[in-house]
Amino acid sequence: MPAQKLHRNDWKEGTVYLFQFPRAKHIPSPSPFSLKLETWLRINDIPYENVSTEFKKTSSKGQVPFIEFNGRQIGDSNQIIPFLTKELNKETVDTRLSKEDQAYRQAFHHLLENSIFWAIVANRKETADFFFTEDGMLGHFSGIKKTLTQHIGPVAFKRKLKNMSHVQGYGRNTVYELEEQMIKDLDALSTFLGSKHYFFGNEPSSLDVTAFGQLCQVLYTPLVTKGVVPHMHEHNKNLVDFVERIKAHYWPDWERATSALNFSSDWKHVEPIAEKVAP
């Protein structure tokens, strides 16, 4: 097997180097997969360092996020989590699930990453301008690069998202159809969560971080499906509380990461934010 070309050659044994996009305002990452993966690392107390892709680095598969670990590069969050679980011999909620719960996990994982995700992409082909403002990710640029990014970025990004969502199918839907599908998916997810703190009890699993990554995009980035977030607050309050719960426990640095665009992975030495959920 040929040696992999690494972006980080001064790696330390046992440290996960998480390559992802720089921070954004309002949300630590506009990528649900990056947010999912970083949250999973935090929940499982795995040492990691954030490394900025600088909007140009990708894995050998052409994907973001990706990791480098002990001289190996692994892409795709759905490959990274089982890889690290095995490499680090981690006992997680997932390793203790029954066959029935594994089936539920798989089904709702696909609802999140193959339905809700594509609904978000279809939304963003209309709202992508947001990411090229100071409220998005424009703060990472300066001078002529900032000017070019501000004017050319939205056009190119919208075109890419339009093509992706059109080929997949969700981009062909009307806003009403898209909103209707999102609400059905969120209602199903809400029903499965019920009154539990997490989907399989009192500890978060890989399904919880998958849901967190996607739901944060719905709650904290602009949508053209204007009825979705009000529906969540009225009919899926448990999902809103679920997001706040994970933020409170595993993202005490949320404000620092978003307001100051802080990229530090030293999240434990920050005053936690108050949890906004009922006991």
Side-chain angles (χ1 to χ4, degrees):
M1 183 178 178
Q4 290 179 302
K5 184 179 179 181
L6 300 177
H7 292 284
R8 187 71 180 258
N9 292 309
D10 58 340
W11 53 270
K12 297 176 184 176
E13 189 83 19
T15 296
V16 174
Y17 296 94
L18 172 57
F19 288 78
Q20 60 172 317
F21 299 116
R23 298 295 192 207
K25 296 282 188 179
H26 304 294
I27 190 168
S29 178
S31 162
F33 307 106
S34 294
L35 192 51
K36 158 191 169 181
L37 184 53
E38 187 168 6
T39 304
W40 184 85
L41 291 168
R42 291 178 175 211
I43 286 171
N44 289 283
D45 201 24
I46 296 172
Y48 74 97
E49 288 185 21
N50 279 320
V51 183
S52 174
T53 62
E54 300 172 336
F55 302 105
K56 57 187 178 183
K57 296 186 183 84
T58 66
S59 72
S60 58
K61 292 181 177 181
Q63 294 174 304
V64 176
F66 63 97
I67 66 162
E68 291 182 355
F69 179 73
N70 292 352
R72 294 182 63 183
Q73 185 187 102
I74 310 292
D76 191 327
S77 62
N78 291 323
Q79 300 298 320
I80 293 167
I81 289 175
F83 167 79
L84 289 175
T85 300
K86 183 178 179 180
E87 285 290 307
L88 298 171
N89 196 27
K90 279 283 180 183
E91 183 181 342
T92 66
V93 172
D94 292 83
T95 61
R96 301 192 297 268
L97 291 179
S98 67
K99 289 288 186 183
E100 183 179 10
D101 282 341
Q102 288 177 38
Y104 280 121
R105 179 191 62 190
Q106 187 74 357
F108 279 99
H109 173 90
H110 282 290
L111 178 145
L112 285 156
E113 294 200 346
N114 292 315
S115 185
I116 289 178
F117 168 70
W118 283 105
I120 293 167
V121 173
N123 266 276
R124 286 185 179 176
K125 71 182 176 68
E126 306 296 337
T127 63
D129 301 76
F130 166 80
F131 296 101
F132 299 90
T133 68
E134 295 293 344
D135 283 335
M137 304 184 80
L138 195 63
H140 293 289
F141 299 90
S142 60
I144 189 66
K145 282 188 177 180
K146 186 171 188 174
T147 303
L148 290 172
T149 299
Q150 192 171 19
H151 290 89
I152 298 173
V155 177
F157 193 44
K158 281 183 176 181
R159 185 185 302 119
K160 179 180 179 179
L161 296 181
K162 182 177 181 180
N163 290 340
M164 287 169 58
S165 60
H166 190 78
V167 169
Q168 190 274 340
Y170 270 45
R172 301 169 190 256
N173 292 333
T174 65
V175 172
Y176 173 79
E177 291 167 338
L178 202 59
E179 183 171 301
E180 189 175 46
Q181 183 60 54
M182 291 181 77
I183 286 173
K184 286 179 181 178
D185 287 344
L186 291 165
D187 284 348
L189 195 65
S190 176
T191 298
F192 182 57
L193 178 61
S195 60
K196 302 187 297 292
H197 274 201
Y198 301 108
F199 287 102
F200 297 108
N202 292 321
E203 297 177 75
S205 67
S206 64
L207 178 59
D208 293 282
V209 296
T210 299
F212 181 72
Q214 302 290 342
L215 293 176
C216 284
Q217 310 302 318
V218 174
L219 288 168
Y220 303 125
T221 64
L223 302 175
V224 290
T225 49
K226 299 295 185 184
V228 169
V229 173
H231 177 89
M232 287 184 70
H233 282 281
E234 184 174 353
H235 300 287
N236 310 138
K237 184 65 165 50
N238 61 339
L239 294 181
V240 178
D241 288 348
F242 163 84
V243 168
E244 291 294 343
R245 183 173 297 114
I246 292 185
K247 281 175 63 178
H249 287 294
Y250 301 106
W251 281 92
D253 56 335
W254 183 280
E255 294 300 327
R256 185 180 69 176
T258 54
S259 299
L261 302 179
N262 188 285
F263 210 40
S264 172
S265 54
D266 184 21
W267 62 278
K268 292 182 180 180
H269 301 99
V270 178
E271 282 294 317
I273 57 176
E275 188 174 352
K276 301 175 183 178
V277 296

